[in-house]
Amino acid sequence: MLTVKENVLLPVSLGRMPKAEAEERFRRIAAELELLDLAARYPSELSGGQRQRTSAARALIREPSIVFADEPTGALDSKSASSLLGLMERLNRVQGVTFLMATHDPAVSSYCSRVVFLRDGAIYSEVYKGERSRQAFFKEILNVQAVLGGDHVDTL
Amino acid sequence: MWTRFDWIVRSMRANASSYVFYGFALACSAALYFIFAFLQNEAPAESAAVGGFRSAEVFQAAGILTVLIGGAFVFRANRLFLKRRSREIGLYQLAGLSRLEVARLLLAEQALLGAAALLMGTCAGALASRFFWLLLLKLIDAGREVPLSFSGTAALQTIGVFAGLIVLALVQIGIGILRSPLPRFEAVARSLPAKETEGRAALAGLASAALIAAGYSLADRIARPQGLAILPIVLGAALAGTYLLLRVAIGGLLAYIRSRQNGHLSIAQSLSLAPIMHRMKSTANSLTWITILSALMLTLLALASSLYYSAETESRAMMPDDFVFENMPHQAQAFEARLEQKALVFTHRSVPALRVRGAGDTPQNAGSLLLPAESLVYAGEEAAAWHISGADPGGALPDLPGPGEAFAYRGLERQPLREGRDAGRVWNPLHPGMDTEERAGRGETGLSGGGLRIARSLDRYAVNYSVRGRQFVVRAAGVQELRMQCRNSALCEEVRLDLYRIADPNRRAAASEAYADDGARPGMHPYFVFFYRESLHKFGLLLFIAAFLGFVFLVSTGSLLYLRQMAEADAEKPDYAVLRRLGIDEREMMAGAVRKQLFVFAVPLAIGLLHSIFAVRAASALALSNLFVPAAAALLLYTLTYLSFAALSVRGYRRMIRETAERDMV
């Protein structure tokens, strides 16, 4: 029942953030997630991906020190997914925000600095990105997953 | 293999709770209607006249009101019903049933339910009407035996009217199903808040103010003769004005407030403003009806309680004297002797009055009754009894009319708005049809001059209403002059009145025994105690009906609002869960929920109160006494009832919010 902008700004109203700063943050995040044109829309006017981007923006607007994300790119197309992941990576690098996410997608997990593989509820293995490139890290994740046997693997 | 009937029964069982509620309400209104229809058909003719209307008409009006309330309820409940079951309707279609088959299934369900409710309602009404019938008889005329039979007319009327209502409901549901879109499985409501531009909202605000003001000013005319004809116009104006106000003007105002926030809504705003705007259309619909109907109910209640509590004052206005003998000096003497025997203190006035049939008088009316003022005046302690009624609330003695003047006592003909117009007119009892202002212009007053100047027009009686003739109080010399003028003609008739008043109000009943001792004879006038008791009973019954109806209505609208709020709370649950995850605590969420309840209950309350104040003002023209106290009491009751329902729904919201917290912890 709230517009995209109202939704994103909802957590802000809790604190005592000045309106101008809140507005500024909204512009930045909304531009990043391509939500600016949708600011006045209601949830029923949004696609699944647009809704997910809205909730991501809502989670990020207060610049928390840690974010828990469950399949954050689940409903997103590859372009929106990479822009969301890019934003998360930047926030992590520049502002030191920690992201902890669960995903089935090796490409998504390649954005992380540490990946923990789960199998049937137990930790199976883990890999660190270190100084490698994302492509190299992605390959290693795929390798581990191949050994794991595919289906029932969660990476963390 | 399931038969269709199995399906119907199964589905009814699944929806039992809402069906029970719906069926019960339908049965209740059918029962209520039956009672009113029964009383309307069977009410003895003598129980007539409640504030100028016959009792049958009063009961008929109450019956119509019941059907209106019942109809509005059925209509609203069906809308809710269709919305709630749209998913189920979709599922049936997915399972391969055609829309027509689905419609047939649900219509059969509804028809079954309606028939059962109607049957139950009629039976309950038949039983309850027995009770009401006995009550009515007891109150109106205890002594008379009237056989009670099951009223076939009332039953047929009830079944006919409510069957019509049910058929309309079936048509509504049928159309709803055939038009329903394919199944929607998203929890999110598809509707969007209405987008009102500020200009449109301002325009609508003005239009609604104009409509409501027009309704208010027209309402004053309802109390005038033939005024009932404009009742639909007044109701229509009030309805349209209220709807515009709620739907467009308030909607526009909310939209303006929201757009000013530019996205920066507080938690409380996002939990009150946003959902209210989201449902403005349906909210406005139901609030409009609730507002208008509660204003009507309140007015009825205020009027009934005023009539009841002013029964003594009104009776006094009708019957200033406890006992009247007309041309029965011997009976009067005998009565006086009996009073003395019982050691009752009383005053006696012997009034030589004159009844005049003027040239313009028709055989139907009794002509004019001219009463010599001097013999009606009470002095000293006796004076206290004189002006009890509303005409001179200060209790001041009426001064005598001057020579050539008359005081017109219009009594039941009371037309408060005409009081000013009558005063100053010139009137000749011999030519009552020719009272022309021209004569007054020429300054010809006094009977020899052409007529008496009406110095005052009072909405009460000078002597008991049962004495025939329009009552005028004139100086004794004036009466004498007229007596001379029409001597030996058939136009005038001497009327000797013996008027008695009992000093101690508590001993009036004892005096009445002395009056009735003589047995009933033709020409005997009714006496005050009898009349007062009768009207007390009559208005007591009316008050009972109004209070009963009003209470049922208040509780049903209050609970309708409450049920609506609970349904909305259910729909908003996911939103609250999201807020909970964002770290918003219960206190902050409750602030929003409370604001929303305040809006939903306070807006109809405020507008309803405003409507009622004007409606009561218009209705007070029908009653002699002041409506302020009963109206204030009724309004207070209304406010308290709504506030308690608001408190209930706030409690419901709190429970829902706590539930979301518990669910999250699991």
Side-chain angles (χ1 to χ4, degrees):
Chain A
M1 278 172 271
L2 299 175
T3 63
V4 167
K5 185 174 183 184
E6 286 163 353
N7 247 301
V8 173
L9 286 172
L10 200 57
V12 168
S13 60
L14 271 179
R16 300 207 197 295
M17 195 186 294
K19 209 170 160 178
E21 194 195 335
E23 188 71 29
E24 208 275 315
R25 277 197 199 181
F26 171 74
R27 297 213 158 273
R28 214 173 50 220
I29 290 185
E32 200 95 49
L33 290 168
E34 289 167 22
L35 287 171
L36 273 180
D37 294 338
L38 307 174
R41 292 232 193 140
Y42 287 94
S44 54
E45 298 170 299
L46 297 176
S47 71
Q50 289 165 333
R51 279 187 210 171
Q52 191 142 8
R53 267 145 57 200
T54 306
S55 38
R58 190 172 58 195
L60 295 176
I61 189 128
R62 286 191 74 189
E63 297 177 354
S65 50
I66 185 164
V67 176
F68 297 91
D70 183 5
E71 295 279 8
T73 57
L76 298 183
D77 56 66
S78 62
K79 188 163 156 277
S80 321
S82 60
S83 92
L84 176 64
L85 290 166
L87 174 72
M88 287 158 83
E89 195 187 20
R90 240 187 338 280
L91 281 171
N92 174 254
R93 196 158 18 88
V94 180
Q95 292 174 24
V97 182
T98 306
F99 288 92
L100 186 69
M101 59 177 168
T103 181
H104 281 87
D105 186 343
V108 172
S109 47
S110 68
Y111 279 85
C112 303
S113 47
R114 176 187 175 194
V115 177
V116 176
F117 294 84
L118 295 176
R119 179 175 189 163
D120 301 332
I123 292 179
Y124 177 80
S125 163
E126 68 178 306
V127 288
Y128 287 85
K129 188 180 175 196
E131 296 306 313
R132 280 174 290 179
S133 72
R134 203 158 67 74
Q135 271 69 26
F137 190 42
F138 177 57
K139 277 196 185 121
E140 187 180 352
I141 293 169
L142 282 182
N143 286 340
V144 178
Q145 208 160 353
V147 175
L148 256 168
D151 277 20
H152 301 290
V153 181
D154 278 344
T155 58
L156 184 77
Chain B
M1 179 65 190
W2 278 26
T3 65
R4 188 174 298 275
F5 188 73
D6 288 334
W7 268 109
I8 293 171
V9 169
R10 228 183 124 82
S11 137
M12 284 179 86
R13 211 181 288 154
N15 289 289
S17 64
S18 61
Y19 269 145
V20 164
F21 181 73
Y22 178 79
F24 181 72
L26 198 62
C28 271
S29 39
L32 211 59
Y33 183 80
F34 184 95
I35 293 169
F36 289 131
F38 178 80
L39 293 177
Q40 177 200 338
N41 288 321
E42 307 287 316
E46 310 90 274
S47 71
V50 174
F53 300 100
R54 296 173 46 77
S55 59
E57 287 167 3
V58 173
F59 290 129
Q60 189 178 15
I64 291 172
L65 217 56
T66 315
V67 172
L68 282 181
I69 296 175
F73 174 81
V74 165
F75 182 72
R76 303 293 324 162
N78 277 337
R79 296 269 298 262
L80 274 174
F81 166 84
L82 277 175
K83 210 180 256 177
R84 277 186 55 164
R85 298 187 67 180
S86 63
R87 228 179 127 100
E88 193 186 329
I89 295 168
L91 270 176
Y92 282 136
Q93 278 173 257
L94 284 184
L97 263 71
S98 77
R99 247 166 227 238
L100 219 58
E101 281 170 311
V102 177
R104 228 169 28 204
L105 200 69
L106 290 186
L107 287 183
E109 243 179 82
Q110 283 289 311
L112 215 62
L113 178 72
L118 183 52
L119 193 72
M120 265 162 52
T122 311
C123 291
L127 286 177
S129 63
R130 214 188 155 83
F131 167 73
F132 275 87
W133 176 242
L134 292 177
L135 194 71
L136 185 75
L137 282 190
K138 203 172 165 56
L139 293 183
I140 292 170
D141 189 352
R144 214 156 40 104
E145 283 291 318
V146 178
L148 172 84
S149 54
F150 176 77
S151 168
T153 333
L156 280 181
Q157 199 175 331
T158 309
I159 290 175
V161 167
F162 277 81
L165 200 67
I166 292 169
V167 167
L168 278 180
L170 291 181
V171 170
Q172 184 200 355
I173 291 177
I175 292 174
I177 293 171
L178 293 182
R179 278 213 197 136
S180 80
L182 270 169
R184 308 187 303 223
F185 290 101
E186 288 131 279
V188 193
R190 277 247 169 251
S191 67
L192 297 173
K195 284 177 181 128
E196 309 295 353
T197 61
E198 281 160 36
R200 230 184 87 179
L203 214 66
L206 284 179
S208 72
L211 275 171
I212 292 176
Y216 285 169
S217 62
L218 276 177
D220 282 344
R221 288 200 204 151
I222 292 179
R224 292 187 211 170
Q226 281 95 45
L228 274 181
I230 63 168
L231 185 63
I233 302 175
V234 171
L235 281 180
L239 263 176
T242 310
Y243 183 74
L244 268 181
L245 181 70
L246 286 170
R247 172 90 169 81
V248 193
I250 293 186
L253 184 72
L254 295 181
Y256 173 70
I257 293 173
R258 192 173 184 179
S259 71
R260 280 270 303 268
Q261 295 300 106
N262 188 25
H264 299 260
L265 292 184
S266 70
I267 298 294
Q269 276 170 332
S270 58
L271 287 178
S272 52
L273 198 58
I276 289 169
M277 281 177 67
H278 204 76
R279 301 199 181 85
M280 205 64 211
K281 196 171 149 198
S282 62
T283 310
N285 277 337
S286 64
L287 289 194
T288 303
W289 282 106
I290 288 177
T291 310
I292 298 289
L293 288 179
S294 35
L296 273 180
M297 257 10 274
L298 281 174
T299 312
L300 192 69
L301 197 59
L303 203 58
S305 50
S306 143
L307 284 173
Y308 181 74
Y309 288 109
S310 61
E312 180 161 18
T313 331
E314 293 246 4
S315 303
R316 265 298 170 222
M318 298 290 285
M319 297 186 124
D321 294 296
D322 289 328
F323 303 97
V324 174
F325 291 87
E326 181 179 352
N327 292 333
M328 290 180 172
H330 300 299
Q331 274 84 358
Q333 266 168 16
F335 175 62
E336 217 172 304
R338 281 198 296 275
L339 287 181
E340 274 158 3
Q341 216 174 23
K342 292 192 177 214
L344 289 161
V345 186
F346 62 90
T347 60
H348 170 224
R349 284 284 172 283
S350 192
V351 181
L354 194 65
R355 189 176 284 136
V356 183
R357 299 192 61 82
D361 279 321
T362 54
Q364 280 81 31
N365 72 36
S368 313
L369 186 71
L370 278 89
L371 299 153
E374 284 85 345
S375 35
L376 285 172
V377 168
Y378 287 69
E381 278 180 24
E382 294 172 1
W386 176 249
H387 251 191
I388 304 172
S389 87
D392 277 307
L397 272 179
D399 37 346
L400 293 174
E405 284 183 348
F407 289 169
Y409 281 76
R410 300 204 153 267
L412 257 195
E413 256 180 80
R414 70 177 100 94
Q415 291 158 342
L417 300 165
R418 282 188 49 187
E419 234 172 84
R421 218 194 300 167
D422 270 351
R425 271 173 97 179
V426 171
W427 160 86
N428 188 328
L430 290 170
H431 307 280
M434 290 169 50
D435 47 348
T436 49
E437 267 101 315
E438 296 131 51
R439 289 212 187 91
R442 279 181 260 145
E444 295 173 39
T445 54
L447 273 174
S448 49
L452 297 161
R453 197 174 67 82
I454 309 269
R456 228 187 262 176
S457 175
L458 300 150
D459 55 2
R460 57 194 307 279
Y461 285 101
V463 295
N464 289 7
Y465 75 96
S466 53
V467 182
R468 286 157 55 80
R470 295 185 304 264
Q471 300 179 2
F472 295 91
V473 173
V474 187
R475 279 291 182 89
V479 179
Q480 191 55 32
E481 196 182 337
L482 196 68
R483 191 172 276 137
M484 290 298 141
Q485 269 188 26
C486 65
R487 193 174 31 190
N488 301 329
S489 84
L491 291 176
C492 292
E493 178 195 348
E494 289 292 337
V495 178
R496 187 204 145 110
L497 295 174
D498 286 286
L499 314 174
Y500 290 91
R501 292 184 186 185
I502 309 300
D504 182 359
N506 296 325
R507 304 209 59 189
R508 274 186 205 130
S512 303
E513 281 165 28
Y515 186 72
D517 263 359
D518 227 8
R521 268 190 317 280
M524 288 271 275
H525 284 280
Y527 52 97
F528 175 77
V529 174
F530 173 73
F531 183 83
Y532 168 53
R533 271 194 200 143
E534 197 189 39
S535 55
L536 199 63
H537 292 158
K538 197 165 62 190
F539 295 139
L541 184 71
L542 188 70
L543 176 62
F544 182 69
I545 293 173
F548 187 56
L549 254 182
F551 184 72
V552 166
F553 174 79
L554 255 184
V555 169
S556 63
T557 53
S559 56
L560 212 61
L561 280 177
Y562 167 74
L563 287 175
R564 240 185 109 87
Q565 283 307 301
M566 290 306 93
E568 289 185 15
D570 228 32
E572 286 164 17
K573 231 174 183 171
D575 304 342
Y576 278 87
V578 167
L579 287 178
R580 174 79 69 181
R581 260 175 243 138
L582 289 175
I584 290 154
D585 64 25
E586 187 185 313
R587 199 176 46 79
E588 281 159 320
M589 289 194 232
M590 276 314 290
V594 167
R595 262 206 223 183
K596 184 178 171 225
Q597 306 314 307
L598 273 185
F599 179 88
V600 169
F601 284 94
V603 165
L605 184 67
I607 302 177
L609 286 182
L610 193 68
H611 283 342
S612 326
I613 288 169
F614 278 88
V616 166
R617 212 179 62 111
S620 62
L622 285 176
L624 284 185
S625 59
N626 199 331
L627 281 179
F628 179 77
V629 175
L635 296 189
L636 191 72
L637 185 74
Y638 176 60
T639 310
L640 286 180
T641 312
Y642 264 37
L643 285 183
S644 46
F645 275 109
L648 263 181
S649 69
V650 166
R651 215 187 60 169
Y653 257 92
R654 172 167 289 134
R655 207 173 44 221
M656 182 274 284
I657 288 171
R658 293 208 172 131
E659 266 170 32
T660 61
E662 280 157 21
R663 187 163 303 171
D664 259 19
M665 277 190 274
V666 174

